[in-house]
Amino acid sequence: MTAVPMTEPMGQSLLDVEHLTMRFGGLTAIDDLSFTARRKEITSIIGPNGAGKTTVFNCLTGFYKPTVGRLKLSHPEKGEHYLERMDGFRIAQVADVGRTFQNIRLFPKMTVLENLIVAQHNVLMRASAFAVAGLFGLARYRDAEKAAVEKACHWLEKVNLIERADWEAGNLPYGDQRRLEIARAMCIDPVLLCLDEPAAGLNPRESLELNTLLTAIRDEQGIGILLIEHDMSVVMGISDHIVVLDHGRKISDGDPNFVRNDPTVIKAYLGEEEEEGDHA
Amino acid sequence: MAYFIQQLINGLTLGAIYGLIAIGYTMVYGIIGMINFAHGEIYMIGAFISVITFLVLQSVGMGFVPLVLVVMLIASMLFTSVYGWTIERIAYRPLRRAPRLAALISAIGMSIALQNYVQLTQGARVKALAPIISGGMTLFEQNGFEVRLSYLQIFIIILTMALMAGFSYLIDRTPLGRQQRACEQDRTMAALVGVNVDRTISTTFVMGAALAAVAGMMVTLYYGVVDFFIGFLAGVKAFTAAVLGGIGSLPGAMLGGLLIGLIEAFWSAYFTIEYKDVATFSILVLVLIFRPTGLLGKPEIEKV
Amino acid sequence: MSETKIKVGAAETSLPAMAKDVLMTAVIALVLAVPFIGLKSDSVGTALELYTRWPEMFAIIGAVLVGRVAFLLLRLRRDQPRAQSAQKRAGVKELAANWGGKHIVLIGVAGFACAALLPMMPFASRYTVDIATTFLIYVMLGWGLNIVVGLAGLLDLGYVAFYAVGAYSYALLSTELGWSFWVCLPLAGVFAAAFGVMLGFPVLRLRGDYLAIVTLGFGEIIRVVLTNWVDFTKGPNGISGVPRPSFFGYSFSRGGEQTFHDLLGIAYSSQHRVVFLYFLILILAGLTNWFTLRMRKLPTGRAWEALREDEIACRSLGINPTNVKLSAFALGAMFAGFAGSFFATRQGFVSPESFTFMESAIILAIVVLGGMGSQMGVVLAAFALVILPEWFRDFQQYRMFLFGAAMVLIMVLKPTGVMGRREPTIRLHKKKDAAEDAEAQPEIAQ
């Protein structure tokens, strides 16, 4: 395989980040970052701790309003959305961007199945005619709920949690919680799935399963995946495209082979912080 | 103009009292993140203890005013602190790891119990006390309206300033203050580096109670009447002051207290006295909507 | 000294340690008791005089010490055979929870049936039915607030404001415009819900504790306005002569055109109205319960619970937090409005006195003591807080003190409430398997 700096467009462009800058008071967390994520590709964002990776996600999903920059999402069916102008919940509801969190955020007291049903809130709300149809048990709502359960079961089987569907989510082992969070994000039918360190805390076998799951999602659903990860076996194994950040700036951008051999990366990231890579 | 200045003086006096109570709320909220709902009751207890102390002094025939005031101050601070300590020990410490609502309900229960405890032991009737510090000076006169500054108001404002200075020093400069700030930021970490978290939290309650006791004594002197029910409204207003100033911030609590005092004084003077509480709460709502961190609070970045 | 007591389990069991503990307790009790129990101020004419009550004070301190010693000894006993008895206790608890969980519907239906039969029981005096009616008002309010606090996790300390809005809207509409109860009942709900939205819209984005204090402020504002807007609300004297409800146009009075006893052809009895009111509140409360249980299984209800668990996760799933919170707030307020108009027609009189912060605190206590989100818990807690104090009427003056102390005690002993266990709204596997599943689930306290 030859190393190429910027790959020829393989999938359609899905997310265009242009000149994204985020400042907190005097601190510049992201500095003029531009990159593109495509459909049917896994795009990884890597970089040492504090490089601003999670901040990129928080800008994308509306938790922070970027100081400068444009975040254009080209939805295959619904047209273009400018995420920097949208409320957080509308980014998920209208632009169909799903995400997971670095510190898992499930609904711990609700069951695994309920977690996935809640994710289908907007579809079910329409079906229940804002609770009216549901209150009186109309067939229209019953069918919609059945469909929602089926979709939930589909994803539970994919992440191998079907047996534990009635467990309280908070009682699941750590690795299961990570997979459940991915399943939950998939239940909103995203076109772009943002995963914040999905392999953190997983054992090697679980990481391997995660690789399979993510490539399956990419290939079967045809969506784009944006991945923040420290675990190099995951990143190098499944990424189609890697963006390297350091101190909020992009220092490299290309396919795994290119990035692996990029002297800037080796110097700034792998070279200087060797333990960092091993540790993760 | 003269009327305006008179209200300014009255408002600042009232505000100093609210500010002292507010500090207790702000410190406790800062360190364990709960609204100490019984704090208003602590202030009420402080007021009662100052009345009782005064009566004890009277019965032994002590009449030298400065000494009476000092003994009242010390006694109410000491006894009230023990109340503050005990409340934390009984009602809050067992709930440190419990859901937040549990601690709040426990606090509300404590507040109800204390109110009724005082009613049971001291009776429901209003306690009226003859003025201890009387007199004052006329600052100036305009169109027949005298602007007066009573000695009592001077006493209240100076005492408040002295206490504020003392507490700021305590928090900023001493190991105790450092431990408190450490517990505020990360209790687990503080414990790991050797801070005695339980003791620090207890101290915080004791300090808050002592300041509330001073406020209670000031109110006793200022209005001359005390009853078992004064804690509720004063507590809510002081909490409003703490939020207004930015919860967790000591100068903020004082500033918030002064503002609430001024708002009340001016509202009562220029509008209707019946709706002065409505004015206070409306301002609280407006502040929370437009500046949820309060005036001096640090903006909180949402951690995702 | 107390810090070490908690951490070092073994040291404190020694005799000297316990003696020290008791001694400390004595000193603290003495300091606490001297100014309030030992000394008492009382007005004589215009002056205050001081009395002493030393014997009573030492008696009380003695009682406290005996209590402390008993507590220490109990803990000693509990600590020693810990493993075995803890296991046993957990087993019993698990059994009770499972049994309760499986038969919750059965218990509910049986409870409702008992409630429906109550007025026919031989022991059901007018007094009993009256108390039961009061109890049901609190149950209904508790269920209404459970939507806001228990399910949606929004801490509302001013719930009584919506109750007041309901009561006053019926009182005013009926006395000023002569509208009947059945027209006003839904309107009262609508008004209360509208107030809920009005308050909720600006404040619902606030953090939990701020929301609590704002709702508390709102409750006080409503009360102050009711007291002072004399032209509209008749001020502190309240509105009297609020019409009593009729049975589809048949009144419960002795004489008049269309009366209930004429309709049935029975003799007039003042009991009829009491029983009618009882059934009315039973139906209203039943409706609240049905609605809540149904909502829990609908997307809105699930979103309430999800919001309570994690608002940020909700946003990431495309759920609009403001709408979800508003719906909980408005619906909770609506039921308070219904209950309020029932209260007005039952009393025939409303005044601001009935809508103090104390009421909000009692309703909130019912929800939290019962176990957040648990419908059955609300019933149990309402029983403890409304019926039990009735039985202790002889101790009238100690009642509120004991009430407050009990709130603290229950929270300290059982912070998640009496019925803290949550029932899932949907199951994939049959319930039997689920029970086994639940046993397989590790109990992780998070």
Side-chain angles (χ1 to χ4, degrees):
Chain A
M1 214 200 264
T2 50
V4 272
M6 281 292 287
T7 44
E8 285 293 301
M10 289 175 4
Q12 279 168 299
S13 137
L14 178 63
L15 174 76
D16 290 295
V17 174
E18 291 164 22
H19 306 293
L20 176 66
T21 301
M22 182 77 216
R23 290 192 197 98
F24 298 102
L27 178 84
T28 306
I30 310 172
D31 191 4
D32 197 28
L33 171 69
S34 301
F35 70 92
T36 298
R38 293 182 176 72
R39 291 181 62 194
K40 299 182 187 169
E41 278 191 13
I42 295 176
T43 306
S44 292
I45 303 178
I46 63 171
N49 283 334
K53 303 178 302 277
T54 298
T55 310
V56 174
F57 267 30
N58 286 341
C59 288
L60 280 174
T61 48
F63 288 98
Y64 298 157
K65 289 278 160 257
T67 318
V68 182
R70 205 164 72 161
L71 308 164
K72 187 175 81 176
L73 184 95
S74 312
H75 194 293
E77 285 139 40
K78 299 184 187 167
E80 290 180 353
H81 293 285
Y82 292 95
L83 304 183
E84 77 278 6
R85 296 182 204 159
M86 296 169 73
D87 272 338
F89 75 92
R90 289 185 55 82
I91 290 175
Q93 188 184 39
V94 179
D96 297 328
V97 176
R99 77 168 285 182
T100 65
F101 297 87
Q102 196 173 343
N103 322 310
I104 306 175
R105 284 184 176 273
L106 291 167
F107 306 121
K109 290 263 162 52
M110 301 177 87
T111 66
V112 169
L113 180 61
E114 282 174 318
N115 266 273
L116 300 189
I117 303 271
V118 168
Q120 303 173 55
H121 177 79
N122 291 311
V123 178
L124 286 172
M125 272 309 262
R126 275 191 296 278
S128 74
F130 298 89
V132 179
L135 213 48
F136 299 104
L138 298 189
R140 163 183 168 176
Y141 174 69
R142 283 206 309 271
D143 295 345
E145 198 185 59
K146 207 178 283 171
V149 173
E150 267 165 31
K151 187 195 273 181
C153 286
H154 169 78
W155 283 108
L156 284 179
E157 270 161 17
K158 279 257 181 240
V159 299
N160 203 13
L161 279 174
I162 192 85
E163 292 301 315
R164 294 176 170 182
D166 294 328
W167 279 40
E168 269 181 29
N171 286 350
L172 289 177
Y174 193 78
D176 287 0
Q177 295 199 11
R178 283 252 175 246
R179 291 205 308 281
L180 176 60
E181 210 190 10
I182 296 174
R184 188 180 67 181
M186 285 311 294
C187 277
I188 73 165
D189 286 332
V191 293
L192 176 66
L193 178 65
C194 304
L195 303 173
D196 198 345
E197 297 196 23
L202 301 190
N203 62 36
R205 189 178 53 83
E206 286 173 325
S207 301
L208 215 62
E209 286 171 6
L210 181 74
N211 283 1
T212 325
L213 175 68
L214 295 186
T215 41
I217 289 176
R218 173 192 63 190
D219 299 338
E220 289 163 24
Q221 308 294 315
I223 67 173
I225 295 178
L226 204 56
L227 184 72
I228 293 177
E229 193 46 74
H230 276 301
D231 187 333
M232 285 303 143
S233 72
V234 174
V235 172
M236 293 301 166
I238 63 173
S239 302
D240 300 292
H241 171 193
I242 296 176
V243 176
V244 189
L245 294 189
D246 189 22
H247 293 100
R249 271 195 305 271
K250 183 167 88 173
I251 56 169
S252 182
D253 184 344
D255 68 16
N257 250 335
F258 172 79
V259 168
R260 207 195 314 256
N261 300 317
D262 187 339
T264 349
V265 177
I266 296 166
K267 180 162 171 282
Y269 182 56
L270 300 171
E272 279 172 16
E273 302 199 37
E274 233 160 39
E275 315 96 332
E276 170 71 47
D278 289 345
H279 162 80
Chain B
M1 189 59 199
Y3 188 60
F4 178 85
I5 290 180
Q6 183 68 65
Q7 295 312 323
L8 192 69
I9 295 172
N10 295 349
L12 285 176
T13 315
L14 192 60
I17 297 174
Y18 285 146
L20 285 178
I21 312 175
I23 289 175
Y25 276 112
T26 242
M27 288 200 309
V28 167
Y29 193 95
I31 202 159
I32 54 174
M34 74 167 280
I35 302 177
N36 178 10
F37 217 89
H39 192 61
E41 268 32 88
I42 291 281
Y43 146 83
M44 180 267 293
I45 281 178
F48 264 89
I49 290 175
S50 66
V51 170
I52 302 266
T53 313
F54 177 74
L55 291 177
V56 171
L57 292 176
Q58 205 178 33
S59 68
V60 299
M62 171 142 38
F64 180 55
V65 173
L67 192 62
V68 169
L69 287 177
V70 170
V71 176
M72 272 171 85
L73 187 69
I74 291 173
S76 60
M77 282 174 89
L78 276 180
F79 282 95
T80 313
S81 302
V82 178
Y83 269 91
W85 183 87
T86 314
I87 289 167
E88 193 270 336
R89 193 69 187 74
I90 293 178
Y92 305 150
R93 190 178 296 175
L95 291 172
R96 198 114 0 112
R97 286 169 198 287
R100 290 159 70 91
L101 264 181
L104 187 75
I105 292 292
S106 181
I108 292 176
M110 202 32 138
S111 156
I112 294 172
L114 285 175
Q115 233 177 59
N116 286 278
Y117 163 73
V118 174
Q119 187 191 0
L120 276 173
T121 53
Q122 298 292 321
R125 304 236 314 261
V126 168
K127 312 274 170 208
L129 208 62
I132 301 174
I133 308 178
S134 50
M137 50 177 122
T138 305
L139 291 182
F140 64 94
E141 198 179 321
Q142 193 183 42
N143 308 330
F145 185 88
E146 281 183 12
V147 176
R148 285 186 60 80
L149 177 63
S150 70
Y151 295 136
L152 182 57
Q153 286 173 324
I154 299 175
F155 171 74
I156 289 178
I157 291 171
I158 289 180
L159 183 56
T160 307
M161 276 163 40
L163 283 170
M164 268 308 285
F167 265 77
S168 304
Y169 176 80
L170 210 61
I171 301 286
D172 290 342
R173 298 286 149 85
T174 63
L176 174 69
R178 217 165 19 247
Q179 288 170 359
Q180 269 179 336
R181 279 177 287 144
C183 289
E184 228 164 86
Q185 294 189 356
D186 192 331
R187 230 185 290 156
T188 322
M189 197 58 214
L192 283 176
V193 296
V195 174
N196 187 335
V197 175
D198 277 337
R199 184 176 298 158
T200 310
I201 292 176
S202 281
T203 318
T204 309
F205 272 84
V206 164
M207 282 160 66
L211 288 181
V214 177
M217 175 191 152
M218 287 174 174
V219 157
T220 311
L221 297 176
Y222 197 53
Y223 291 117
V225 286
V226 172
D227 68 49
F228 73 96
F229 202 66
I230 57 169
F232 173 66
L233 206 57
V236 172
K237 281 185 190 159
F239 185 77
T240 303
V243 172
L244 183 61
I247 201 137
S249 149
L250 229 57
M254 207 60 228
L255 178 68
L258 289 177
L259 284 175
I260 296 282
L262 288 172
I263 289 162
E264 261 194 58
F266 283 115
W267 188 280
S268 310
Y270 291 100
F271 303 103
T272 48
I273 193 158
E274 291 86 7
Y275 287 105
K276 70 175 191 261
D277 298 342
V278 173
T280 312
F281 289 129
S282 310
I283 283 168
L284 171 71
V285 174
L286 291 177
V287 171
L288 285 181
I289 292 169
F290 293 108
R291 201 178 155 78
T293 49
L295 297 172
L296 300 185
K298 287 184 219 81
E300 220 167 274
I301 296 171
E302 199 169 25
K303 282 268 180 216
V304 181
Chain C
M1 58 98 225
S2 48
E3 291 83 4
T4 46
K5 195 165 65 199
I6 286 191
K7 281 172 200 149
V8 191
E12 78 190 87
T13 55
S14 66
L15 205 59
M18 275 173 66
K20 194 180 153 205
D21 181 294
V22 173
L23 193 69
M24 268 310 283
T25 313
V27 170
I28 286 165
L30 187 70
V31 173
L32 294 182
V34 165
F36 282 91
I37 303 174
L39 298 168
K40 180 181 190 319
S41 59
D42 218 339
S43 327
V44 178
T46 53
L48 274 180
E49 291 208 359
L50 197 65
Y51 295 90
T52 57
R53 293 180 289 202
W54 303 123
E56 288 92 334
M57 185 186 87
F58 284 112
I60 290 174
I61 292 178
V64 168
L65 288 185
V66 170
R68 182 73 197 174
V69 171
F71 172 77
L72 289 176
L73 289 178
L74 260 177
R75 203 169 51 182
L76 203 64
R77 263 180 58 125
R78 194 192 61 188
D79 282 353
Q80 266 158 7
R82 182 170 245 161
Q84 201 192 357
S85 77
Q87 210 172 24
K88 210 163 124 192
R89 263 208 312 276
V92 171
K93 229 161 89 183
E94 185 67 19
L95 202 69
N98 272 344
W99 193 86
K102 267 182 210 160
H103 301 276
I104 196 103
V105 180
L106 203 71
I107 298 170
V109 171
F112 191 80
C114 287
L117 290 175
L118 175 81
M120 284 70 140
M121 293 292 151
F123 60 84
S125 62
R126 186 194 168 117
Y127 173 75
T128 316
V129 178
D130 234 24
I131 299 289
T133 308
T134 309
F135 165 67
L136 284 177
I137 292 181
Y138 280 100
V139 169
M140 178 168 176
L141 287 169
W143 278 339
L145 187 62
N146 207 8
I147 296 178
V148 184
V149 180
L151 294 181
L154 303 167
L155 186 44
D156 184 353
L157 289 181
Y159 191 62
V160 78
F162 305 122
Y163 187 42
V165 168
Y168 269 84
S169 46
Y170 172 60
L172 287 170
L173 287 173
S174 61
T175 54
E176 303 285 326
L177 303 176
W179 291 10
S180 91
F181 177 72
W182 297 104
V183 178
C184 295
L185 179 70
L187 279 180
V190 170
F191 284 145
F195 265 83
V197 173
M198 246 169 54
L199 168 70
F201 201 71
V203 305
L204 279 177
R205 74 180 91 166
L206 299 176
R207 275 214 321 259
D209 302 294
Y210 285 181
L211 182 69
I213 211 80
V214 168
T215 49
L216 190 156
F218 179 71
E220 285 299 298
I221 288 176
I222 292 266
R223 200 176 55 80
V224 172
V225 170
L226 289 177
T227 313
N228 291 305
W229 195 3
V230 180
D231 296 340
F232 186 59
T233 64
K234 307 248 173 18
N237 297 329
I239 302 171
S240 51
V242 179
R244 318 310 294 268
S246 61
F247 183 75
F248 300 106
Y250 294 89
S251 80
F252 287 93
S253 48
R254 185 183 289 276
E257 288 279 299
Q258 288 186 315
T259 58
F260 178 74
H261 60 276
D262 279 346
L263 176 74
L264 295 187
I266 50 174
Y268 169 78
S269 159
S270 63
Q271 180 90 354
H272 289 160
R273 176 188 285 150
V274 178
V275 172
F276 173 71
L277 284 170
Y278 175 77
F279 279 120
L280 186 56
I281 188 67
L282 185 62
I283 290 167
L284 285 174
L287 192 74
T288 314
N289 184 35
W290 172 81
F291 181 85
T292 311
L293 288 180
R294 197 88 203 121
M295 277 313 263
R296 268 197 76 207
K297 295 179 190 294
L298 292 179
T300 315
R302 292 202 183 108
W304 290 339
E305 291 200 75
L307 200 73
R308 177 194 65 200
E309 300 286 297
D310 196 326
E311 180 171 341
I312 287 174
C314 277
R315 278 194 269 163
S316 83
L317 297 173
I319 297 172
N320 182 344
T322 315
N323 287 355
V324 175
K325 287 181 185 175
L326 267 185
S327 64
F329 222 61
L331 288 171
M334 181 179 81
F335 287 111
F338 290 152
S341 69
F342 174 82
F343 173 80
T345 191
R346 177 193 184 213
Q347 304 296 108
F349 169 74
V350 291
S351 81
E353 286 279 285
S354 313
F355 307 105
T356 56
F357 169 71
M358 206 42 222
E359 292 294 309
S360 288
I362 292 176
I363 304 166
L364 183 68
I366 287 176
V367 173
V368 179
L369 295 184
M372 299 246 296
S374 162
Q375 298 289 93
M376 193 62 86
V378 165
V379 179
L380 294 179
F383 187 83
L385 294 188
V386 180
I387 304 268
L388 289 187
E390 272 316 311
W391 288 347
F392 292 103
R393 273 219 173 266
D394 299 343
F395 302 96
Q396 185 67 23
Q397 49 174 339
Y398 298 101
R399 208 161 63 134
M400 287 318 283
F401 173 70
L402 292 176
F403 179 86
M407 271 168 81
V408 176
L409 192 70
I410 300 179
M411 277 297 102
V412 169
L413 294 179
K414 200 123 178 41
T416 52
V418 189
M419 303 271 289
R421 206 186 170 88
R422 180 182 174 276
E423 217 16 54
T425 62
I426 189 168
R427 283 175 183 283
L428 193 62
H429 306 293
K430 286 247 167 53
K431 207 164 177 177
K432 192 167 157 270
D433 307 344
E436 284 162 15
D437 239 29
E439 274 160 37
Q441 273 185 54
E443 282 290 334
I444 303 170
Q446 267 185 330

